[in-house]
Amino acid sequence: MNYSQFFNMIPEASLVAILIIVFLADLIMRGEKKQSALSLLMCVLLVAQTGICLVASPASAFGGIYVTTAAVNVMKVILTAGTLIVCIMASPWLERSDVSNKVGEFYALVASTLLGMYMMMSSGHFLMFFLGLEMASVPMACLVAFDKFKQNSAEGAAKFILTATFSSGIMLYGISFIYAAAGTLYFDDVAAVIANTPLAIMGLVFFFSGLGFKISLVPFHFWTADSYQGAPTPVTGYLSVVSKGAAAFALMAILTKVFAPMIEYWEYLLYIVIVLSITIANLFALRQTELKRFMAFSSISQAGYIMLAVIGGSALGAAALMYYVLVYVVANMAVFTVINVVETRGNGTTKISCYDGFYTTNPKLSLLMTLALFSLAGIPPFAGMFSKFFVFMAAAEQGSFWAYFVVFIALINTVASLYYYLLIVKAMYIKHSDTPLPAFKSDGGTKLALTLCTAGILAFGVFSCVYHWIAGAAL
């Protein structure tokens, strides 16, 4: 084996180095400042990791098992930046007495999960993809169960790991069908020989179903609300944006490259799943009284919008998907940062009714949360409106009647989503409460996370250079 090929895997190698550094620092450091020092160290390392991914070049290694492109490197930048925001916004939660002694474990699990996502997106072989997916899923289950003495956290983790186990089994079953149909598991070789045989179609369906669980597309979404509610709020934010973005990008790459000869099959499968995901998630979001469950169904709906970009199967679709994930990261993390502050420094609840009259005591937090909700709803001039426009345009580029029909259904559902996002705004600004939440003095990490997210919400839709950079990588 030529070990020099590891130099073609610089982003992954540097992330392994981060994992080792954090582990050793947690082992060596002592004293009251350990939590602050570890947090600062992790944030500095993730900033450096973002820069490494930004300057990384397309490469391949080990006979095509590992393949990275300019688009993959851009996606790694987006996901690493999202992970950085998660680590920054987690500061108030990590100061809790029952968590402060496990800060190193938290950061090690986050780095391990991100490494799995890197490997998943850079794979050129189905088994490499499966190993990367499992490397991302198992540490994520530990993160969901991080508040191990809370019943909801243990329940959410149990549902997450059981669902992940079954979905992995289904996916592996589908991969075995693909191998039987094509005689190989290399992406390029499968694309060259695969045909529309019953065996290949079954392999495609099982593989899509397994990955649909990871993205929480309907009808594979039943674990989502309970896991999101039970997980610590920073972990819920990480699960809803970073994990979902990596899986969606990987699914698009495999469908458009490996299963390109079978496009007439997976396109109709996508049409059904997208319409169900957006519509059913919106209907269930209307019924929620708990904010983290509300955001869970919002994330299912957003996953449907992300999948719209896959329909076109073009460079425009890839650019639209990456841009949507970028905007979704900053908007969703802004909401979860506010939820984390209220849950940590307030009364520990995440009921929507607790936000009645929130503006009277916390006008700045209310304003920033409103901007984030407007972006998620796609209200101009915020970045969310432009991200939805690009995924609609990518889907409509396909040109068929069914593509136009799905876009039309998605547009109607945008109106419904606007209504339930405004319910939160109504609670903060219009509803009155005799016992509103107290005024919170945000810590430095919360302020920095909200600043970064708000800047992204306002800037990514205005400065076209961001989209041009993403589109250039997707070509």
Side-chain angles (χ1 to χ4, degrees), residues 327-346:
V327 174
Y328 184 51
V329 164
V330 292
N332 221 43
M333 287 312 304
V335 174
F336 278 108
T337 301
V338 176
I339 296 173
N340 185 53
V341 172
V342 173
E343 186 180 20
T344 305
R345 305 195 185 280

Side-chain angles (χ1 to χ4, degrees), residues 1-23:
M1 180 185 291
N2 184 5
Y3 291 99
S4 64
Q5 293 186 78
F6 282 109
F7 289 105
N8 293 335
M9 304 171 64
I10 294 298
E12 287 75 16
S14 60
L15 199 52
V16 171
I18 289 175
L19 187 59
I20 295 172
I21 291 170
V22 169
F23 176 78

Side-chain angles (χ1 to χ4, degrees), residues 91-375:
S91 298
W93 171 66
L94 292 172
E95 292 174 358
R96 277 179 20 191
S97 58
D98 59 331
V99 181
S100 59
N101 61 336
K102 299 186 291 183
V103 176
E105 297 174 28
F106 174 76
Y107 289 140
L109 288 170
V110 168
S112 300
T113 305
L114 188 61
L115 178 60
M117 295 176 197
Y118 276 18
M119 301 303 292
M120 182 174 63
M121 293 188 298
S122 295
S123 58
H125 190 278
F126 273 107
L127 287 186
M128 178 73 166
F129 173 83
F130 181 77
L131 290 174
L133 188 63
E134 292 305 293
M135 196 185 304
S137 298
V138 175
M140 184 62 76
C142 298
L143 287 171
V144 174
F146 211 75
D147 280 339
K148 59 183 179 181
F149 297 111
K150 292 187 176 181
Q151 182 180 354
N152 285 345
S153 186
E155 180 186 350
K159 290 181 178 179
F160 179 87
I161 196 65
L162 286 173
T163 305
T165 302
F166 285 121
S167 63
S168 296
I170 291 171
M171 181 184 295
L172 204 56
Y173 192 44
I175 290 174
S176 68
F177 280 8
I178 294 167
Y179 181 73
T184 179
L185 290 177
Y186 284 91
F187 288 170
D188 292 339
D189 295 342
V190 171
V193 301
I194 200 166
N196 297 332
T197 62
L199 199 61
I201 294 171
M202 287 297 294
L204 168 63
V205 171
F206 280 124
F207 179 82
F208 182 88
S209 300
L211 205 50
F213 278 105
K214 310 296 183 183
I215 309 174
S216 62
L217 296 169
V218 174
F220 316 111
H221 67 290
F222 294 103
W223 61 274
T224 310
D226 292 327
S227 295
Y228 279 32
Q229 182 182 5
T233 300
V235 176
T236 304
Y238 185 67
L239 186 63
S240 68
V241 291
V242 180
S243 177
K244 192 182 298 290
F249 180 83
L251 177 60
M252 179 179 190
I254 292 174
L255 288 179
T256 55
K257 293 178 182 178
V258 181
F259 294 111
M262 304 173 65
I263 187 171
E264 66 270 22
Y265 291 96
W266 60 257
E267 258 191 354
Y268 288 108
L269 186 62
L270 268 181
Y271 293 153
I272 297 169
V273 169
I274 288 170
V275 170
L276 289 177
S277 297
I278 297 176
T279 306
I280 293 177
N282 282 346
L283 292 175
F284 275 89
L286 291 169
R287 303 176 63 247
Q288 301 308 310
T289 59
E290 205 275 341
L291 193 51
K292 286 168 73 173
R293 294 183 71 88
F294 171 87
M295 293 303 296
F297 287 105
S298 167
S299 74
I300 296 170
S301 176
Q302 297 290 347
Y305 286 109
I306 292 173
M307 287 293 102
L308 276 173
V310 184
I311 291 177
S314 61
L316 176 62
L321 185 145
M322 290 188 287
Y323 181 71
Y324 198 104
V325 172
L326 174 63
V327 174
Y328 184 51
V329 164
V330 292
N332 221 43
M333 287 312 304
V335 174
F336 278 108
T337 301
V338 176
I339 296 173
N340 185 53
V341 172
V342 173
E343 186 180 20
T344 305
R345 305 195 185 280
N347 53 11
T349 185
T350 54
K351 293 286 186 181
I352 295 177
S353 58
C354 290
Y355 287 80
D356 291 351
F358 190 55
Y359 177 78
T360 59
T361 54
N362 295 272
K364 293 180 181 179
L365 289 177
S366 299
L367 175 61
L368 297 181
M369 191 168 185
T370 301
L371 296 180
L373 291 171
F374 280 178
S375 183

